[in-house]
Amino acid sequence: MNLSNEKNKVEILIEHFKKSEEGLNLLKYVENSKLPQEQKENLVQFLWSKILREQTILKPLGHEEDMPEHLTCPITFESFSDPVLTDSGQTYERLAIENHTKKNGYFDPCTRKPLKHQYISNLQILWAVQFLKKKKKLHLQFIEAIQFE
């Protein structure tokens, strides 16, 4: 059972390393070497952990369209990275509302009410966006780990 599991890992490693000539040469060396079986298994395990780490940690977080509408700026339609609350009660991305007020004057782009020159950081929205991104990242890591098992 353990040998077939290692063989499956080697097959996945070969598929991964086909994109990388250096990795493919390394894998061929391990397969064709006269190393003791235990050393081969250790090398395969090392390569396996390296690929698993690359596949899960470097995986993108997901598409912006997956972000709920209430966590996106109504000006840029992107998820918030520095949300601010205006005195009219609307939340915008800081740079987006600052650019809007420089170009168009100090009024709310959604409500058209006059705006004051200061904004309050909306930490609740920021934390919600960060939480959702972290949750998506963990979900993608979990899916990738299951695919490799």
Side-chain angles (χ1 to χ4, degrees):
M1 179 90 171
N2 190 19
L3 186 61
S4 66
N5 192 16
E6 291 300 314
K7 186 176 179 181
N8 290 338
K9 287 181 180 181
V10 169
E11 290 172 2
I12 293 172
L13 286 169
I14 290 171
E15 288 299 317
H16 179 75
F17 280 133
K18 281 183 180 175
K19 300 174 188 171
S20 156
E21 188 174 327
E22 179 183 315
L24 188 57
N25 289 337
L26 179 61
L27 194 58
K28 285 180 182 177
Y29 169 77
V30 170
E31 285 181 344
N32 297 328
S33 70
K34 295 184 180 187
L35 293 170
Q37 186 62 29
E38 185 178 336
Q39 284 184 329
K40 283 185 181 182
E41 287 177 9
N42 288 340
L43 281 171
V44 168
Q45 193 65 32
F46 169 76
L47 294 171
W48 181 251
S49 66
K50 184 176 179 178
I51 288 176
L52 183 61
R53 191 172 39 242
E54 287 175 4
Q55 291 295 319
T56 58
I57 294 175
L58 301 178
K59 190 78 174 173
L61 296 179
H63 301 292
E64 285 292 325
E65 60 264 13
D66 294 341
M67 190 64 67
E69 189 175 322
H70 63 278
L71 296 178
T72 60
C73 176
I75 297 174
T76 63
F77 302 107
E78 295 178 3
S79 64
F80 288 108
S81 59
D82 185 14
V84 292
L85 186 63
T86 64
D87 55 331
S88 66
Q90 184 67 39
T91 300
Y92 297 102
E93 184 65 31
R94 183 181 300 275
L95 289 176
I97 192 66
E98 287 174 353
N99 287 338
H100 166 78
T101 55
K102 284 179 187 174
K103 291 179 183 177
N104 303 312
Y106 284 90
F107 67 91
D108 189 300
C110 290
T111 64
R112 303 290 188 211
K113 292 181 181 178
L115 289 176
K116 295 181 182 173
H117 298 287
Q118 53 185 320
Y119 310 111
I120 301 169
S121 292
N122 194 335
L123 296 178
Q124 295 297 321
I125 294 292
L126 179 62
W127 292 335
V129 169
Q130 289 174 347
F131 173 78
L132 188 59
K133 285 183 176 182
K134 185 177 179 180
K135 188 176 175 181
K136 283 183 181 184
K137 182 178 180 179
L138 291 173
H139 177 71
L140 289 172
Q141 289 175 351
F142 179 72
I143 296 299
E144 288 295 323
I146 289 173
Q147 289 175 350
F148 278 115
E149 288 296 319

